[in-house]
């Protein structure tokens, strides 16, 4: 079998076309465009690249981004204060804190300084809880992007066995909750899981989200499975490509799979935040 490629780039472009239309309608109604504030701490080159890409997509969709670049030496208290200022600023609709932040900072405290109404990256406890209870709100951007990609290809997970490899609060756990809400039977694996290969081999749907290049061997994949590779380390995913393509029915490429879907979800949620923001003024 040669897997059909789940094209995140093309799917994200289609979503961003709709976002652009929504931005045009929003601007006509409210005389302004949605504003996304991005917060970058320190000088990690990869983080700079991600923030630049997000700002460029924002501009292409007709939105404004406001960039806050902070010195790596700042304290958690200072970072929290700067994010609270953005939360209180009526000119800002959405806030993205690029993560990971430098190790001396309390990332969770910084996330929690984001007003849940502006949490377009879906990182706060409030957004996590709303996802867990199926109450809408903003989903964590990468899990939301993964589900949107499956939807674009009409791939139902209902009744299927989904194995998620990774349990981080921004990726593994929320993607598991979203799959459960779609009636998948979900197994979550992590660094202490025994016999990872046996779990993956039973999966109709694999979500690889460990950040360990080529951890998931092609030979483990159940023939006909849907394989989503969210891992990203220097253009290498968590799945052994192309060996996995010989067994899977559907596979996301790296790059060009989950990454563009994450940004599309972030921007879609920014327009949604702006619309809600205007409705509460
Ligand atoms: P993270 O916070 O470091 O979490 C990694 C998870 O993988 C942890 O739960 C860890 O288990 C698990 N893990 C590590 N080694 C493992 C192993 N050998 N076997 C099984 N599980 C293992 O990372 P993250 O933020 O969730 O990101 C995961 C990956 O997704 C990274 O490559 C990241 O770059 C990528 N990512 C991509 C996008 C995108 O837009 N494309 C967005 C976000 C993240 P423990 O909990 O036991 O430590």
């Amino acid at each position: 079998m040669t897997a059909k490629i789940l094209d995140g780039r093309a799917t994200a472009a289609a979503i961003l076309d709709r976002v652009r239309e929504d931005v045009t309608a929003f601007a006509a109604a409210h005389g302004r465009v949605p504003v996304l504030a991005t917060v970058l701490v320190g000088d990690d080159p990869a983080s700079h690249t991600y923030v630049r890409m997000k700002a460029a997509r924002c501009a292409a969709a007709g939105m404004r981004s406001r960039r806050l670049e902070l010195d790596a030496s700042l304290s958690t208290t200072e970072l929290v204060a700067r994010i609270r200022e953005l939360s209180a600023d009526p000119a800002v609709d959405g806030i993205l804190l690029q993560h990971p932040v430098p190790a001396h900072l309390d990332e969770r405290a910084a996330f929690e300084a984001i007003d849940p109404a502006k949490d377009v990256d879906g990182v706060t406890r409030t957004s996590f809880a709303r996802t867990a209870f199926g109450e809408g709100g903003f989903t964590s951007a990468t899990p939301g992007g993964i589900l949107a990609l499956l939807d674009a290809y009409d791939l139902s997970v209902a009744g299927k066995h989904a194995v998620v490899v990774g349990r981080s609060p921004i990726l593994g756990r929320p993607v598991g909750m979203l799959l459960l809400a779609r009636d998948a039977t979900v197994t979550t694996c992590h660094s202490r899981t025994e016999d990872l290969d046996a779990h993956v081999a039973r999966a109709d749907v694999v979500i690889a989200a460990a950040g360990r290049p080529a951890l998931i061997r092609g030979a483990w994949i159940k023939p006909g499975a849907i394989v989503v590779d969210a891992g990203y380390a220097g253009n290498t995913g968590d799945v052994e490509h192309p060996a996995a393509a010989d067994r899977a029915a559907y596979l996301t490429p790296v790059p060009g799979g989950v990454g563009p879907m994450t940004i599309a979800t972030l921007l879609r949620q920014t327009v949604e935040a702006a619309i809600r923001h205007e409705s509460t003024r």
Side-chain angles (χ1 to χ4, degrees):
M1 184 175 298
T2 298
K4 183 176 168 63
I5 294 301
L6 298 175
D7 187 343
R9 225 170 248 148
T11 306
I15 292 171
L16 290 175
D17 283 345
R18 289 198 292 278
V19 168
R20 201 173 300 113
E21 289 168 14
D22 291 347
V23 169
T24 304
F26 179 88
H30 303 293
R32 68 177 190 91
V33 298
V35 176
L36 172 68
T38 63
V39 182
L40 178 59
V41 187
D43 43 24
D44 175 58
S47 293
H48 271 269
T49 304
Y50 293 142
V51 170
R52 245 197 329 270
M53 276 166 55
K54 287 165 186 171
R57 294 287 186 285
C58 242
M63 291 191 259
R64 270 190 53 217
S65 63
R66 191 199 288 181
R67 240 166 118 164
L68 189 59
E69 293 191 6
L70 301 170
D71 198 88
S73 65
L74 98 171
S75 67
T76 296
T77 307
E78 288 164 327
L79 176 58
V80 164
R82 299 304 297 272
I83 294 174
R84 284 206 180 121
E85 281 168 20
L86 295 172
S87 288
D89 186 338
V92 170
D93 297 299
I95 301 170
L96 163 87
L97 170 63
Q98 185 62 42
H99 50 88
V101 297
H104 70 279
L105 294 169
D106 181 344
E107 185 172 88
R108 179 47 46 195
F111 282 154
E112 295 307 320
I114 298 172
D115 176 350
K118 300 186 180 186
D119 181 21
V120 292
D121 201 26
V123 295
T124 59
R125 289 193 181 104
T126 299
S127 296
F128 186 92
R130 286 183 181 150
T131 300
F133 283 94
E135 291 174 347
F138 299 119
T139 61
S140 183
T142 302
I146 289 171
L147 270 288
L149 186 58
L150 296 178
D151 288 344
Y153 285 85
D154 284 327
L155 295 174
S156 168
V157 298
K160 298 212 168 10
H161 182 200
V163 171
V164 179
V165 185
R167 58 176 167 179
S168 75
I170 57 106
L171 181 42
R173 286 177 203 230
V175 83
M177 298 190 304
L178 292 172
L179 292 165
L180 191 59
R182 299 284 187 93
D183 296 322
T185 301
V186 181
T187 299
T188 303
C189 300
H190 46 79
S191 66
R192 306 291 299 275
T193 296
E194 292 179 3
D195 303 325
L196 181 64
D197 54 344
H199 288 288
V200 172
R202 283 194 293 273
D204 304 308
V205 181
V206 179
I207 310 287
R212 296 283 179 276
L215 170 71
I216 314 290
R217 314 307 298 178
W220 299 357
I221 303 296
K222 179 173 167 178
I226 299 167
V227 180
V228 174
D229 189 353
Y232 191 75
N235 279 353
T236 304
D238 285 350
V239 175
E240 185 195 13
H241 301 247
D246 291 339
R247 296 171 69 87
Y250 296 90
L251 177 64
T252 60
V254 178
V258 173
M261 294 301 297
T262 297
I263 298 181
T265 304
L266 172 75
L267 298 196
R268 186 178 51 70
Q269 295 193 143
T270 302
V271 184
E272 287 168 12
I275 292 168
R276 284 185 214 168
H277 190 175
E278 285 297 336
S279 73
T280 56
R281 275 185 203 266

